Amino acid sequence: MWVFCEVWNHDAQEVADLLDVLVPLPSGSWSAVKRDQGNVVVSRFPILQSWLISSTYRLTGVLLDLGTDYTTDLLVIACHWRCC
């Protein structure tokens, strides 16, 4: 799982497609979501849900399904604070 900040001019699918080329997974493709202006969360695990927590501070929450190897899912908070 990666969180990319300051991805202003590309959508989530473009980032996932680029990772499919640069860092291909053994099976399947990358899942990605972009709910605020600049953060993209990319994961090899399926994305169950995502939320825009705050557009002012570019906060996005993403719930990942870790599969049967884990007893719980993973909540990721992508945060990019504004400057100055």
Side-chain angles (χ1 to χ4, degrees):
M1 185 267 319
W2 287 329
V3 175
F4 294 101
C5 297
E6 297 190 12
V7 182
W8 308 120
N9 299 316
H10 303 282
D11 64 27
Q13 190 59 54
E14 289 174 304
V15 175
D17 291 345
L18 181 61
L19 284 176
D20 283 336
V21 172
L22 297 176
V23 189
L25 294 172
S27 62
S29 59
W30 291 96
S31 299
V33 66
K34 181 177 182 179
R35 291 283 177 229
D36 60 64
Q37 296 170 330
N39 294 320
V40 177
V41 177
V42 184
S43 173
R44 67 182 177 98
F45 299 106
I47 296 172
L48 296 174
Q49 288 182 300
S50 62
W51 307 268
L52 177 61
I53 298 170
S54 172
S55 61
T56 305
Y57 290 99
R58 294 181 295 265
L59 287 168
T60 294
V62 179
L63 185 63
L64 303 177
D65 178 3
L66 299 182
T68 58
D69 291 337
Y70 300 91
T71 59
T72 187
D73 297 324
L74 177 66
L75 178 63
V76 176
I77 305 295
C79 173
H80 180 222
W81 300 107
R82 64 182 176 188
C83 174
C84 313

Coordinates of all heavy atoms in Angstrom, one line a residue:
M1 N 0.8 -1.2 0.0 CA 0.0 0.0 0.0 C 0.9 1.2 0.0 O 1.9 1.3 0.7 CB -0.9 0.0 1.2 CG -1.9 1.1 1.3 SD -1.5 2.6 2.2 CE -0.7 2.0 3.6
W2 N 0.5 2.2 -0.8 CA 1.2 3.5 -0.9 C 0.2 4.6 -0.8 O -0.9 4.5 -1.3 CB 2.0 3.6 -2.2 CG 3.2 2.8 -2.3 CD1 4.0 2.4 -1.4 CD2 3.7 2.2 -3.5 NE1 5.1 1.6 -1.9 CE2 4.9 1.5 -3.2 CE3 3.3 2.3 -4.9 CZ2 5.7 0.9 -4.2 CZ3 4.1 1.7 -5.8 CH2 5.3 0.9 -5.5
V3 N 0.7 5.7 -0.2 CA 0.0 7.0 -0.3 C 0.8 8.0 -1.0 O 1.9 8.2 -0.6 CB -0.4 7.5 1.1 CG1 -1.0 8.9 1.0 CG2 -1.3 6.5 1.9
F4 N 0.3 8.5 -2.1 CA 1.0 9.5 -2.9 C 0.3 10.8 -2.7 O -0.9 11.0 -2.8 CB 1.0 9.2 -4.4 CG 1.7 7.9 -4.8 CD1 1.0 6.7 -5.0 CD2 3.1 7.9 -4.9 CE1 1.7 5.6 -5.4 CE2 3.8 6.8 -5.3 CZ 3.1 5.6 -5.5
C5 N 1.1 11.8 -2.3 CA 0.6 13.2 -2.1 C 1.0 14.1 -3.3 O 2.0 13.8 -4.0 CB 1.2 13.8 -0.8 SG 0.8 12.9 0.6
E6 N 0.3 15.1 -3.4 CA 0.5 16.1 -4.5 C 0.3 15.6 -5.9 O 1.1 15.9 -6.8 CB 1.8 16.9 -4.3 CG 1.8 17.6 -3.0 CD 3.0 18.6 -2.9 OE1 3.7 18.8 -3.9 OE2 3.3 19.1 -1.8
V7 N -0.7 14.7 -6.0 CA -1.0 14.2 -7.4 C -2.1 15.0 -7.9 O -3.3 14.7 -7.8 CB -1.4 12.7 -7.3 CG1 -1.7 12.1 -8.7 CG2 -0.4 11.9 -6.6
W8 N -1.8 16.2 -8.4 CA -2.8 17.2 -8.8 C -3.4 16.9 -10.1 O -4.6 17.2 -10.3 CB -2.1 18.6 -8.8 CG -1.4 19.0 -7.6 CD1 -0.1 19.3 -7.5 CD2 -1.9 19.1 -6.2 NE1 0.3 19.6 -6.2 CE2 -0.8 19.4 -5.4 CE3 -3.1 18.9 -5.7 CZ2 -1.0 19.6 -4.0 CZ3 -3.3 19.0 -4.3 CH2 -2.2 19.4 -3.5
N9 N -2.7 16.5 -11.1 CA -3.2 16.4 -12.5 C -3.5 15.0 -13.0 O -3.6 14.8 -14.2 CB -2.2 17.1 -13.4 CG -2.0 18.6 -13.0 OD1 -3.0 19.3 -12.8 ND2 -0.8 19.1 -13.0
H10 N -3.6 14.1 -12.1 CA -3.9 12.7 -12.5 C -5.0 12.1 -11.6 O -5.0 12.5 -10.4 CB -2.6 11.9 -12.4 CG -1.5 12.4 -13.3 ND1 -1.5 12.3 -14.7 CD2 -0.5 13.2 -13.0 CE1 -0.4 12.9 -15.1 NE2 0.2 13.4 -14.2
D11 N -5.8 11.2 -12.1 CA -6.8 10.6 -11.3 C -6.2 9.3 -10.7 O -5.1 8.8 -11.1 CB -8.1 10.4 -12.0 CG -8.0 9.5 -13.2 OD1 -7.1 8.6 -13.3 OD2 -8.8 9.6 -14.2
A12 N -7.0 8.6 -9.9 CA -6.6 7.4 -9.3 C -6.3 6.3 -10.3 O -5.3 5.5 -10.1 CB -7.6 6.9 -8.3
Q13 N -7.1 6.1 -11.3 CA -6.9 5.1 -12.3 C -5.5 5.3 -13.0 O -4.8 4.3 -13.3 CB -8.0 5.0 -13.2 CG -8.0 3.7 -14.1 CD -8.0 2.4 -13.3 OE1 -8.8 2.2 -12.4 NE2 -7.0 1.6 -13.5
E14 N -5.2 6.5 -13.3 CA -3.9 6.8 -14.0 C -2.7 6.3 -13.1 O -1.8 5.8 -13.7 CB -3.8 8.2 -14.4 CG -4.7 8.7 -15.5 CD -4.7 10.2 -15.7 OE1 -4.9 10.9 -14.7 OE2 -4.4 10.6 -16.8
V15 N -2.8 6.6 -11.9 CA -1.7 6.2 -10.9 C -1.7 4.7 -10.9 O -0.6 4.1 -10.9 CB -1.9 6.8 -9.5 CG1 -0.9 6.3 -8.6 CG2 -1.9 8.3 -9.6
A16 N -2.8 4.0 -10.7 CA -2.8 2.5 -10.7 C -2.3 1.9 -12.0 O -1.5 1.0 -11.9 CB -4.3 2.0 -10.4
D17 N -2.7 2.5 -13.1 CA -2.2 2.0 -14.4 C -0.7 2.1 -14.5 O 0.0 1.2 -15.0 CB -2.9 2.7 -15.6 CG -4.3 2.4 -15.7 OD1 -4.8 1.4 -15.1 OD2 -5.0 3.2 -16.4
L18 N -0.1 3.3 -14.0 CA 1.3 3.5 -14.1 C 2.0 2.4 -13.2 O 3.0 1.9 -13.6 CB 1.7 4.9 -13.6 CG 3.1 5.2 -13.6 CD1 3.7 5.1 -15.0 CD2 3.3 6.6 -13.1
L19 N 1.5 2.2 -12.0 CA 2.1 1.2 -11.1 C 2.0 -0.3 -11.7 O 2.9 -1.1 -11.5 CB 1.5 1.2 -9.7 CG 1.9 2.3 -8.9 CD1 1.2 2.3 -7.6 CD2 3.4 2.3 -8.6
D20 N 0.9 -0.5 -12.5 CA 0.8 -1.8 -13.1 C 1.9 -2.0 -14.1 O 2.4 -3.2 -14.3 CB -0.6 -1.9 -13.9 CG -1.7 -2.2 -12.9 OD1 -1.5 -2.8 -11.8 OD2 -2.9 -1.9 -13.3
V21 N 2.4 -1.0 -14.7 CA 3.6 -1.0 -15.6 C 4.9 -1.1 -14.9 O 5.7 -1.9 -15.2 CB 3.5 0.2 -16.6 CG1 4.8 0.2 -17.5 CG2 2.3 0.1 -17.5
L22 N 5.1 -0.2 -13.9 CA 6.3 0.0 -13.2 C 6.6 -1.1 -12.2 O 7.7 -1.5 -12.0 CB 6.4 1.4 -12.6 CG 6.4 2.6 -13.5 CD1 6.4 3.9 -12.7 CD2 7.6 2.5 -14.5
V23 N 5.5 -1.5 -11.4 CA 5.6 -2.4 -10.3 C 4.5 -3.4 -10.5 O 3.5 -3.4 -9.7 CB 5.6 -1.7 -9.0 CG1 5.9 -2.7 -7.8 CG2 6.5 -0.5 -8.9
P24 N 4.5 -4.3 -11.5 CA 3.4 -5.2 -11.7 C 3.2 -6.2 -10.5 O 4.2 -6.7 -10.0 CB 3.7 -5.9 -13.0 CG 5.2 -5.7 -13.2 CD 5.6 -4.5 -12.5
L25 N 2.0 -6.5 -10.2 CA 1.7 -7.5 -9.2 C 1.8 -8.9 -9.8 O 1.4 -9.0 -11.0 CB 0.4 -7.2 -8.5 CG 0.2 -5.9 -7.7 CD1 -1.2 -5.7 -7.3 CD2 1.1 -6.0 -6.5
P26 N 2.1 -9.9 -9.0 CA 2.2 -11.3 -9.6 C 0.8 -11.7 -10.1 O 0.7 -12.4 -11.1 CB 2.6 -12.1 -8.4 CG 3.2 -11.2 -7.4 CD 2.6 -9.8 -7.6
S27 N -0.2 -11.3 -9.4 CA -1.6 -11.6 -9.9 C -2.5 -10.4 -9.6 O -2.4 -9.8 -8.6 CB -2.1 -12.8 -9.2 OG -2.2 -12.6 -7.8
G28 N -3.2 -10.0 -10.6 CA -4.2 -8.9 -10.5 C -3.5 -7.6 -10.8 O -2.4 -7.5 -11.3
S29 N -4.2 -6.5 -10.4 CA -3.7 -5.2 -10.6 C -3.9 -4.3 -9.4 O -4.6 -4.7 -8.4 CB -4.4 -4.5 -11.8 OG -5.8 -4.5 -11.6
W30 N -3.3 -3.2 -9.4 CA -3.4 -2.2 -8.2 C -4.8 -1.6 -8.1 O -5.4 -1.3 -9.2 CB -2.3 -1.1 -8.4 CG -0.9 -1.6 -8.2 CD1 -0.1 -1.9 -9.2 CD2 -0.2 -1.8 -7.0 NE1 1.1 -2.3 -8.7 CE2 1.1 -2.3 -7.4 CE3 -0.5 -1.7 -5.7 CZ2 2.0 -2.6 -6.4 CZ3 0.4 -2.0 -4.7 CH2 1.7 -2.4 -5.1
S31 N -5.3 -1.4 -6.9 CA -6.5 -0.7 -6.7 C -6.1 0.7 -6.2 O -5.1 0.8 -5.4 CB -7.3 -1.4 -5.6 OG -7.7 -2.7 -6.0
A32 N -6.8 1.7 -6.6 CA -6.5 3.1 -6.2 C -7.8 3.9 -6.0 O -8.8 3.6 -6.6 CB -5.6 3.7 -7.2
V33 N -7.6 4.9 -5.1 CA -8.7 5.8 -4.8 C -8.2 7.2 -4.6 O -7.1 7.4 -4.0 CB -9.6 5.3 -3.6 CG1 -8.8 5.4 -2.4 CG2 -10.9 6.1 -3.5
K34 N -8.9 8.2 -5.1 CA -8.5 9.6 -4.9 C -9.8 10.3 -4.5 O -10.7 10.5 -5.3 CB -7.9 10.2 -6.1 CG -7.5 11.7 -6.0 CD -6.8 12.2 -7.2 CE -6.3 13.6 -7.1 NZ -5.7 14.1 -8.3
R35 N -9.9 10.8 -3.2 CA -11.2 11.4 -2.8 C -10.9 12.9 -2.5 O -11.9 13.7 -2.6 CB -11.6 10.8 -1.4 CG -12.2 9.4 -1.6 CD -13.6 9.5 -2.2 NE -14.0 8.1 -2.4 CZ -14.6 7.7 -3.5 NH1 -14.7 8.5 -4.5 NH2 -15.0 6.5 -3.6
D36 N -9.7 13.3 -2.3 CA -9.4 14.8 -2.1 C -8.6 15.3 -3.3 O -8.4 14.5 -4.3 CB -8.8 15.0 -0.8 CG -7.4 14.3 -0.6 OD1 -6.5 14.6 -1.4 OD2 -7.3 13.5 0.3
Q37 N -8.1 16.5 -3.2 CA -7.5 17.1 -4.4 C -6.1 16.5 -4.7 O -5.8 16.4 -5.9 CB -7.2 18.6 -4.1 CG -8.5 19.4 -3.9 CD -8.1 20.8 -3.4 OE1 -7.2 21.0 -2.7 NE2 -9.0 21.7 -3.8
G38 N -5.4 16.0 -3.8 CA -4.0 15.6 -4.1 C -3.5 14.2 -3.6 O -2.5 13.8 -4.1
N39 N -4.3 13.5 -2.8 CA -3.8 12.2 -2.2 C -4.4 11.1 -3.1 O -5.6 11.1 -3.4 CB -4.3 12.0 -0.8 CG -3.6 13.0 0.2 OD1 -2.4 13.3 0.0 ND2 -4.4 13.5 1.1
V40 N -3.5 10.1 -3.4 CA -4.0 8.9 -4.0 C -3.5 7.7 -3.2 O -2.3 7.6 -2.9 CB -3.4 8.7 -5.5 CG1 -3.9 7.4 -6.0 CG2 -3.9 9.9 -6.3
V41 N -4.4 6.9 -2.7 CA -4.0 5.7 -2.0 C -4.1 4.5 -3.0 O -5.1 4.3 -3.7 CB -5.0 5.4 -0.8 CG1 -4.7 4.1 -0.1 CG2 -5.0 6.6 0.2
V42 N -3.0 3.7 -3.0 CA -2.9 2.6 -4.0 C -2.6 1.4 -3.1 O -1.7 1.4 -2.3 CB -1.8 2.9 -5.0 CG1 -1.7 1.7 -6.0 CG2 -2.0 4.2 -5.7
S43 N -3.3 0.3 -3.4 CA -3.1 -0.9 -2.6 C -3.2 -2.2 -3.5 O -3.9 -2.2 -4.5 CB -4.2 -1.0 -1.6 OG -4.2 -2.2 -0.9
R44 N -2.5 -3.2 -3.1 CA -2.7 -4.5 -3.7 C -3.9 -5.2 -3.1 O -4.4 -6.2 -3.7 CB -1.4 -5.4 -3.5 CG -1.1 -5.8 -2.1 CD 0.1 -6.6 -2.0 NE 0.5 -7.0 -0.7 CZ 0.2 -8.2 -0.1 NH1 -0.4 -9.1 -0.8 NH2 0.6 -8.4 1.1
F45 N -4.4 -4.7 -2.0 CA -5.6 -5.3 -1.4 C -6.8 -4.5 -1.9 O -6.7 -3.3 -2.2 CB -5.5 -5.1 0.2 CG -4.4 -5.8 0.8 CD1 -3.3 -5.2 1.3 CD2 -4.5 -7.2 0.9 CE1 -2.3 -5.9 1.9 CE2 -3.4 -7.9 1.5 CZ -2.3 -7.2 2.0
P46 N -8.0 -5.2 -2.0 CA -9.2 -4.5 -2.4 C -9.6 -3.4 -1.5 O -9.4 -3.5 -0.3 CB -10.2 -5.6 -2.4 CG -9.5 -6.9 -2.4 CD -8.2 -6.6 -1.7
I47 N -10.1 -2.3 -2.1 CA -10.6 -1.2 -1.3 C -12.0 -1.4 -1.1 O -12.8 -1.4 -2.0 CB -10.3 0.1 -2.1 CG1 -8.8 0.3 -2.2 CG2 -10.9 1.3 -1.4 CD1 -8.4 1.5 -3.1
L48 N -12.4 -1.5 0.2 CA -13.8 -1.7 0.6 C -14.6 -0.4 0.6 O -15.7 -0.4 0.1 CB -13.9 -2.3 2.0 CG -13.3 -3.7 2.1 CD1 -13.3 -4.2 3.6 CD2 -14.0 -4.7 1.3
Q49 N -14.1 0.6 1.2 CA -14.7 1.9 1.2 C -13.7 3.0 1.3 O -12.6 2.8 1.7 CB -15.6 2.0 2.5 CG -16.9 1.2 2.5 CD -17.7 1.4 3.8 OE1 -17.2 1.2 4.8 NE2 -18.9 1.8 3.6
S50 N -14.1 4.2 1.0 CA -13.3 5.4 1.1 C -14.1 6.6 1.4 O -15.3 6.6 1.0 CB -12.4 5.6 -0.1 OG -13.2 5.9 -1.2
W51 N -13.5 7.6 2.1 CA -14.3 8.7 2.6 C -13.4 10.0 2.4 O -12.2 9.9 2.7 CB -14.7 8.6 4.0 CG -15.4 7.4 4.4 CD1 -16.7 7.2 4.4 CD2 -14.8 6.1 4.8 NE1 -17.0 5.9 4.8 CE2 -15.9 5.2 5.1 CE3 -13.5 5.7 5.0 CZ2 -15.7 3.9 5.5 CZ3 -13.3 4.4 5.4 CH2 -14.4 3.5 5.6
L52 N -14.0 11.1 2.1 CA -13.4 12.4 2.1 C -13.6 12.9 3.6 O -14.7 13.2 3.9 CB -14.0 13.3 1.1 CG -13.4 14.7 1.2 CD1 -11.9 14.8 0.9 CD2 -14.1 15.6 0.2
I53 N -12.5 12.9 4.4 CA -12.7 13.3 5.8 C -12.7 14.8 5.8 O -13.5 15.4 6.5 CB -11.5 12.7 6.6 CG1 -11.6 11.2 6.6 CG2 -11.6 13.3 8.0 CD1 -10.4 10.5 7.2
S54 N -11.8 15.5 5.1 CA -11.7 16.9 5.1 C -11.0 17.4 3.8 O -9.9 17.1 3.6 CB -11.0 17.5 6.3 OG -10.7 18.9 6.2
S55 N -11.8 18.2 3.0 CA -11.2 18.7 1.8 C -10.2 19.8 2.1 O -9.3 20.1 1.4 CB -12.2 19.1 0.8 OG -13.0 20.1 1.4
T56 N -10.5 20.6 3.2 CA -9.6 21.7 3.6 C -8.2 21.3 3.9 O -7.3 21.9 3.5 CB -10.2 22.4 4.8 OG1 -11.6 22.8 4.5 CG2 -9.4 23.7 5.1
Y57 N -8.1 20.1 4.5 CA -6.7 19.6 4.9 C -6.3 18.4 4.1 O -5.4 17.7 4.4 CB -6.7 19.3 6.4 CG -6.8 20.5 7.2 CD1 -8.0 21.0 7.8 CD2 -5.6 21.3 7.4 CE1 -8.0 22.1 8.5 CE2 -5.7 22.5 8.2 CZ -6.9 22.9 8.7 OH -6.9 24.0 9.5
R58 N -7.1 18.1 3.0 CA -6.7 16.9 2.2 C -6.6 15.7 3.0 O -5.5 15.1 3.1 CB -5.5 17.2 1.3 CG -5.8 18.3 0.3 CD -4.6 18.6 -0.6 NE -3.5 19.1 0.1 CZ -3.2 20.4 0.3 NH1 -4.0 21.3 -0.3 NH2 -2.1 20.8 0.9
L59 N -7.6 15.2 3.7 CA -7.7 14.0 4.5 C -8.6 13.0 3.8 O -9.8 13.3 3.6 CB -8.2 14.3 5.9 CG -7.2 15.0 6.8 CD1 -7.9 15.5 8.1 CD2 -6.0 14.1 7.2
T60 N -8.2 11.8 3.6 CA -9.0 10.8 3.0 C -8.8 9.5 3.8 O -7.7 9.1 4.2 CB -8.5 10.5 1.5 OG1 -8.8 11.6 0.7 CG2 -9.3 9.3 1.0
G61 N -9.9 8.8 4.1 CA -9.9 7.5 4.8 C -10.2 6.4 3.8 O -11.0 6.6 2.9
V62 N -9.4 5.3 3.9 CA -9.6 4.2 3.0 C -9.6 2.9 3.8 O -8.7 2.7 4.6 CB -8.5 4.2 2.0 CG1 -8.6 3.0 1.0 CG2 -8.4 5.5 1.2
L63 N -10.6 2.1 3.6 CA -10.7 0.8 4.3 C -10.3 -0.3 3.4 O -10.9 -0.5 2.3 CB -12.1 0.5 4.8 CG -12.3 -0.7 5.7 CD1 -11.5 -0.7 7.0 CD2 -13.8 -0.9 6.0
L64 N -9.2 -1.1 3.7 CA -8.7 -2.1 2.9 C -9.0 -3.5 3.4 O -9.0 -3.7 4.6 CB -7.1 -2.0 2.8 CG -6.5 -0.7 2.4 CD1 -5.0 -0.8 2.4 CD2 -7.0 -0.4 1.0
D65 N -9.4 -4.4 2.5 CA -9.7 -5.8 2.8 C -8.4 -6.6 2.8 O -7.9 -6.8 1.7 CB -10.7 -6.3 1.9 CG -11.1 -7.8 2.1 OD1 -10.6 -8.4 3.1 OD2 -11.8 -8.3 1.3
L66 N -7.9 -7.0 3.9 CA -6.6 -7.7 4.0 C -6.7 -9.2 3.7 O -5.7 -9.9 3.6 CB -5.9 -7.5 5.3 CG -5.6 -6.0 5.7 CD1 -4.9 -6.0 7.1 CD2 -4.8 -5.4 4.6
G67 N -8.0 -9.6 3.5 CA -8.2 -11.0 3.1 C -8.2 -12.0 4.3 O -8.2 -11.6 5.5
T68 N -8.1 -13.2 4.0 CA -8.3 -14.3 5.0 C -7.1 -14.5 5.9 O -7.1 -15.2 6.9 CB -8.7 -15.6 4.4 OG1 -7.8 -16.0 3.4 CG2 -10.1 -15.5 3.7
D69 N -5.9 -14.0 5.5 CA -4.7 -14.1 6.2 C -4.7 -13.3 7.5 O -3.8 -13.4 8.4 CB -3.5 -13.8 5.4 CG -3.2 -14.9 4.3 OD1 -3.7 -16.0 4.4 OD2 -2.6 -14.5 3.3
Y70 N -5.6 -12.3 7.6 CA -5.7 -11.4 8.7 C -7.1 -11.4 9.3 O -8.0 -11.7 8.6 CB -5.4 -9.9 8.2 CG -4.0 -9.8 7.6 CD1 -3.8 -10.0 6.2 CD2 -2.9 -9.5 8.4 CE1 -2.5 -9.9 5.7 CE2 -1.6 -9.4 7.9 CZ -1.4 -9.6 6.5 OH -0.2 -9.5 6.0
T71 N -7.2 -11.1 10.6 CA -8.4 -11.2 11.3 C -9.2 -9.9 11.2 O -10.3 -9.8 11.8 CB -8.2 -11.6 12.7 OG1 -7.4 -10.6 13.4 CG2 -7.6 -13.0 12.9
T72 N -8.7 -8.9 10.6 CA -9.3 -7.6 10.5 C -9.0 -6.8 9.2 O -8.1 -7.3 8.5 CB -8.9 -6.7 11.7 OG1 -9.6 -5.5 11.8 CG2 -7.4 -6.4 11.7
D73 N -9.7 -5.8 8.9 CA -9.4 -4.9 7.8 C -8.4 -3.8 8.3 O -8.1 -3.7 9.5 CB -10.7 -4.3 7.2 CG -11.6 -5.4 6.7 OD1 -11.1 -6.4 6.2 OD2 -12.8 -5.2 6.8
L74 N -7.9 -3.0 7.4 CA -7.0 -1.9 7.7 C -7.6 -0.6 7.3 O -8.0 -0.4 6.1 CB -5.7 -2.2 7.0 CG -4.6 -1.1 7.2 CD1 -4.1 -1.1 8.7 CD2 -3.4 -1.4 6.3
L75 N -7.6 0.3 8.2 CA -8.1 1.7 7.9 C -6.8 2.6 7.7 O -6.0 2.7 8.6 CB -8.9 2.3 9.0 CG -9.4 3.7 8.9 CD1 -10.3 3.9 7.6 CD2 -10.1 4.2 10.1
V76 N -6.7 3.2 6.6 CA -5.6 4.1 6.2 C -6.1 5.5 6.1 O -7.1 5.7 5.5 CB -4.9 3.7 4.9 CG1 -3.8 4.6 4.5 CG2 -4.4 2.2 4.9
I77 N -5.4 6.4 6.8 CA -5.7 7.8 6.7 C -4.6 8.5 5.8 O -3.5 8.6 6.2 CB -5.8 8.5 8.0 CG1 -6.8 7.8 8.9 CG2 -6.2 10.0 7.9 CD1 -8.2 7.8 8.5
A78 N -5.0 9.0 4.7 CA -4.0 9.7 3.8 C -4.2 11.2 4.2 O -5.3 11.8 4.1 CB -4.4 9.5 2.3
C79 N -3.1 11.8 4.6 CA -3.1 13.2 5.0 C -2.0 14.0 4.4 O -0.8 13.6 4.3 CB -2.9 13.2 6.5 SG -2.7 14.8 7.2
H80 N -2.4 15.2 3.8 CA -1.4 16.1 3.3 C -1.8 17.5 3.8 O -2.8 18.1 3.3 CB -1.4 16.0 1.8 CG -0.5 17.0 1.1 ND1 -0.8 17.8 0.0 CD2 0.8 17.4 1.5 CE1 0.2 18.5 -0.3 NE2 1.2 18.3 0.6
W81 N -1.2 18.0 4.8 CA -1.5 19.2 5.4 C -1.2 20.4 4.5 O -0.3 20.3 3.7 CB -0.8 19.5 6.7 CG -1.1 18.4 7.7 CD1 -0.2 17.4 8.1 CD2 -2.3 18.2 8.5 NE1 -0.8 16.6 9.1 CE2 -2.1 17.1 9.3 CE3 -3.5 18.9 8.5 CZ2 -3.1 16.6 10.1 CZ3 -4.5 18.4 9.3 CH2 -4.3 17.3 10.1
R82 N -2.0 21.4 4.5 CA -1.7 22.6 3.7 C -0.6 23.4 4.3 O -0.3 23.3 5.5 CB -3.0 23.4 3.5 CG -3.5 24.0 4.8 CD -4.7 24.8 4.6 NE -5.2 25.3 5.9 CZ -6.3 25.9 6.0 NH1 -7.2 26.0 5.1 NH2 -6.7 26.3 7.2
C83 N 0.0 24.1 3.4 CA 1.2 24.9 3.8 C 0.9 26.2 4.5 O -0.2 26.8 4.3 CB 2.0 25.2 2.5 SG 3.4 26.3 2.7
C84 N 1.8 26.6 5.2 CA 1.9 28.0 5.8 C 0.7 28.3 6.7 O 0.2 29.4 6.8 CB 2.0 29.0 4.7 SG 3.3 28.5 3.5

